[in-house]
Amino acid sequence: MRFALDSSHQDFAASIDALLTKSDMPSVIRSWNDGDTEPGKKLWQRLAETGVNGLVISEEHDGLGADAVDLVVALEQLGRHAVPGPVVETIAVAPTLLASVAPERLSALAEGSLATVAAPPHTPFALDANAVDLVLLAQDGTVSLGVPGEAKASVDLSRKLYEVSAGESLGSADFSAAFDMGALATAAQLQGLGQTLLEVTTEYAKQRKQFGKVIGQFQAMKHHLAEVAVSLEMARPLLHGAALSVRDQSADASRDISAAKVACGDAAYKAARVGLQVHGAIGYTMEHDLSLWLTKVRALLTAWGTPSEHRARVVEALVAS
């Protein structure tokens, strides 16, 4: 099946891309890595002005009331530019949780507040709890305000992970929908990351020389890059199909989301491996911008459900059907 975005989706994606392209993203990311979140928060405020933060928040609470397709379009662009911060948590997970337990807090999110979520056992730590306005803990069917504790290191230096303990209870909620939104949004991020890695690597292959020839001329190199391109293109219909399943409230939505998470993760990881191989020794250095995308791919592979967990969900769904 072939999915094609309509002109409104294409224009929305282009507007986000244009905004982020104007930003010195590597500099913003490195500042966030070092604990200086101000450049990143200013960028987030500009994103909020485009409506990104309020995508899945109802118009009643100052959001756009958009659907999962719009969410995927936006998150793919944020992935392409490796935007730092609790992207999935702020835009997809927290709004889904708050809609059922504390809708009065949604307007602040739509206007640019940042939120993060811990949800053991799948997501035991809260991302960037030191830099947000709201920390939520979803556990045992209850949503509570979270109290950040000890920080944990991540392979991606822009991802600061915090242990969270329960504070004030906000109420009972079914976490399954929020988990699905988190997995779908993460899949979209991975798709975007993979696309940028492919573009950057292809461009580098046109410039780097070995044995007096541009390495992009070698047949083996062309095959590697083509395999990445095919993987990303094969993952895209699964991603868009999952978004449609969520939009249409399909009974197969969770299965489709898991399939998309696995496919987008595999494609992005392949893009990262080939990117590192093509760039050679320089690709291993933290000073090269490539590292900012490589490490984020590695971190997001297991965020909001590991590949094995999502594969198991697909198998269970197929067996039960």
Side-chain angles (χ1 to χ4, degrees), residues 105-320:
R105 294 176 178 267
L106 289 171
S107 293
L109 280 186
E111 292 168 4
S113 290
L114 296 181
T116 191
V117 180
H122 296 295
T123 307
F125 304 114
L127 175 62
D128 295 319
N130 63 316
V132 300
D133 306 296
L134 178 65
V135 179
L136 298 175
L137 174 64
Q139 191 171 29
D140 300 326
T142 300
V143 180
S144 306
L145 295 180
V147 180
E150 183 181 353
K152 302 289 185 180
S154 169
V155 66
D156 177 8
L157 296 180
S158 73
R159 292 173 62 83
K160 306 296 191 298
L161 304 173
Y162 287 81
E163 294 181 348
V164 176
S165 57
E168 176 189 349
S169 175
L170 297 179
S172 299
D174 180 4
F175 184 65
S176 59
F179 177 79
D180 278 350
M181 290 295 279
L184 178 65
T186 303
Q189 260 192 303
L190 284 163
Q191 182 74 10
L193 285 161
Q195 190 62 46
T196 291
L197 283 167
L198 174 61
E199 292 169 1
V200 169
T201 303
T202 300
E203 190 59 34
Y204 187 74
K206 295 177 182 178
Q207 301 171 7
R208 182 183 171 193
K209 290 185 177 181
Q210 276 188 343
F211 310 113
K213 291 186 177 181
V214 174
I215 63 173
Q217 295 179 354
F218 296 124
Q219 197 67 25
M221 190 64 64
K222 293 179 181 179
H223 281 310
H224 284 311
L225 293 171
E227 287 175 2
V228 173
V230 169
S231 294
L232 288 167
E233 285 306 307
M234 293 295 287
R236 190 178 301 280
L238 290 174
L239 177 62
H240 290 170
L244 289 175
S245 288
V246 174
R247 186 196 68 182
D248 299 338
Q249 299 181 328
S250 168
D252 297 325
S254 293
R255 179 203 67 188
D256 294 345
I257 288 169
S258 286
K261 177 65 160 57
V262 170
C264 293
D266 286 351
Y269 190 57
K270 182 176 290 185
R273 287 176 61 89
V274 171
L276 188 58
Q277 181 179 5
V278 172
H279 279 79
I282 194 173
Y284 286 90
T285 66
M286 295 301 294
E287 290 77 18
H288 197 283
D289 290 347
L290 184 75
S291 68
L292 305 177
W293 274 254
L294 292 177
T295 54
K296 190 170 291 295
V297 167
R298 185 63 188 87
L300 291 181
L301 280 177
T302 55
W304 295 101
T306 65
S308 61
E309 288 169 341
H310 283 292
R311 285 190 173 93
R313 285 216 305 178
V314 173
V315 171
E316 290 169 5
L318 293 175
V319 169

